[in-house]
Amino acid sequence: MLEGSPLRGRIAVAPVEVKTISRSRVVTGTVEADPARTVRILAPVTGRVGELNVELGDNVKKGQPLATIDSGDLAQAVADAEKARATVKLTKSAMERAVGLNKAGGLALRELEQAQNDYRQATTELKRAEARLEVIGDSGQVSGQRKIVLTAPIDGTITALETAPGDFIDNATESMMTVSNLAKVWVTASVQEKDLSFVQKDERVEVSLLAYPGEVYSGRVQIISQLLEADTRRNKVRISFENPYAIFKLNMFATVRFFAPATQQVLVPSSALFMVNDTTSVFVETAPWTFQRKPVVTESDYEGATIVRGLEAGQRIVVRGGILLND
């Protein structure tokens, strides 16, 4: 550009800056129950729900009655155990008589062995029947011949309820309700694939809840899923929070800010960048008031400037008025 040109007053040139910066990304998330503190309540037997003692959202204590089931399967299990006990008693007496007769010479060895075998089989059957009752009893309190009262296995909150009085339970794998201990919860963030470089295990994050404007809760990344969701191309990242005062409620909407490690980056004002045919470039001063267009690669914006690759610290570029050279 010739000396004395009126364009010089409209063009500003400045050196390229390199700064140490820590970038961040904000993503959406939701509050979820900790699976390690969540129990699905399953019926150990088929039957009809006679009583339901809780409602959705109720707080319960360990051992508290949840529901009563009237079950023909339970009645059969109790009857099998009683029959097995009677059979053991009968076969034991028969075996003891056989032992005595065999010693006196009044019974063949084969008959003694048969009596002993009958007793062993009866004992095995009794163990099986009692084990069945024990498994049923682990889920609640057996009452009488037909009823079992399901009890809460942990302190917590009824976070799902999928049954009602009169409902017939015929599938032992279907959950009747869910109890979650919410004294500790997860905030699960959904991170786009392109932002995964901001996520590191044990790194600090800041969580904000829509319910509490202005409040920021600090936490650390606990779990980074190793599987990307195929439909959304997002990764689940979980942050654990103590929740003694029930501030975090299930399904609350949250925003999560992740921080990348501090790095040195080349920053240029956005006014220095020019886009021509999908190529971003700047004007570099090669000699006093002599400029050359140079392509650069932009990465992201940071505090009013843009992070770029393709420039070095100390290079002087046009930061204002470059449009006058862009022809």
Side-chain angles (χ1 to χ4, degrees), residues 191-200 224 228 235 237:
V191 182
Q192 294 186 55
E193 185 176 2
K194 66 182 182 64
D195 294 329
L196 286 177
S197 60
F198 288 84
V199 181
Q200 301 292 330
I224 303 173
L228 221 62
N235 192 247
V237 179

Side-chain angles (χ1 to χ4, degrees), residues 69-221:
I69 298 177
D70 186 352
S71 172
D73 283 354
L74 174 59
Q76 184 62 54
V78 171
D80 289 346
E82 291 177 350
K83 179 180 178 181
R85 293 189 190 100
T87 303
V88 166
K89 183 178 180 180
L90 180 63
T91 55
K92 183 179 181 181
S93 297
M95 182 187 68
E96 290 173 346
R97 286 195 303 270
V99 170
L101 289 173
N102 179 260
K103 287 181 179 179
L107 189 69
L109 178 60
R110 184 179 63 181
E111 294 177 344
L112 172 60
E113 291 175 343
Q114 182 62 50
Q116 292 172 331
N117 184 61
D118 291 344
Y119 175 67
R120 283 194 296 269
Q121 289 183 353
T123 302
T124 300
E125 180 61 25
L126 176 59
K127 290 180 179 179
R128 184 201 64 77
E130 289 181 337
R132 170 64 173 150
L133 281 179
E134 186 176 349
V135 169
I136 295 173
D138 286 341
S139 301
Q141 302 167 353
V142 175
S143 175
Q145 296 288 315
R146 297 181 56 91
K147 293 185 178 181
I148 179 172
V149 180
L150 302 183
T151 57
I154 59 172
D155 294 348
T157 302
I158 305 298
T159 55
L161 185 60
E162 299 167 2
T163 191
D167 189 17
F168 187 79
I169 309 299
D170 60 357
N171 189 341
T173 63
E174 289 185 359
S175 174
M176 295 177 61
M177 63 188 76
T178 302
V179 180
S180 300
N181 188 316
L182 303 180
K184 189 175 183 180
V185 296
W186 281 355
V187 172
T188 301
S190 185
V191 182
Q192 294 186 55
E193 185 176 2
K194 66 182 182 64
D195 294 329
L196 286 177
S197 60
F198 288 84
V199 181
Q200 301 292 330
K201 193 175 187 309
D202 296 326
E203 285 297 317
R204 178 179 67 91
V205 298
E206 292 180 351
V207 173
S208 300
L209 300 174
L210 186 63
Y212 310 111
E215 296 289 336
V216 177
Y217 304 91
S218 294
R220 293 193 178 274
V221 174

